Amino acid sequence: MQVDEDAVGAVLNRLRRAQGQLAGVIAMIEAGRDCKDVVTQLAAVSRALDRAGFKIVASGMRQCMAAADGAAPPMSEAELEKLFLTLA
């Protein structure tokens, strides 16, 4: 499965945002910031990563549905379920 070109930009933006947020969390911990602030930022990093993963899975589902016309082997329901559960 490949991520379609339209989704690549969105996924990369989300991953870069998560990367920046994670660097911020590291700096917060090193600076001895309040636990509540650190946890809030960690949750934001987690959401950004989840959204990137869901975007990739959604792209795969679109490809799978498009492949139903016989152009490429479709992804099985079990494979799609496994992808979703990986993110759960």
Side-chain angles (χ1 to χ4, degrees), residues 6-87:
D6 294 334
V8 168
V11 168
L12 288 174
N13 285 340
R14 287 181 175 143
L15 291 175
R16 286 185 183 108
R17 185 177 310 127
Q19 184 178 32
Q21 289 170 323
L22 185 56
V25 169
I26 292 168
M28 291 171 74
I29 292 171
E30 290 174 342
R33 293 278 302 270
D34 183 62
C35 178
K36 181 180 175 185
D37 295 336
V38 172
V39 170
T40 299
Q41 286 305 308
L42 279 173
V45 171
S46 179
R47 282 190 305 274
L49 292 174
D50 286 345
R51 288 180 181 265
F54 290 136
K55 186 76 167 175
I56 291 169
V57 171
S59 172
M61 288 182 66
R62 279 192 301 278
Q63 288 179 14
C64 178
M65 293 167 71
D69 64 7
M75 190 179 282
S76 72
E77 184 175 332
E79 290 172 310
L80 287 172
E81 182 178 342
K82 183 177 178 180
L83 283 175
F84 274 114
L85 291 175
T86 299
L87 293 171

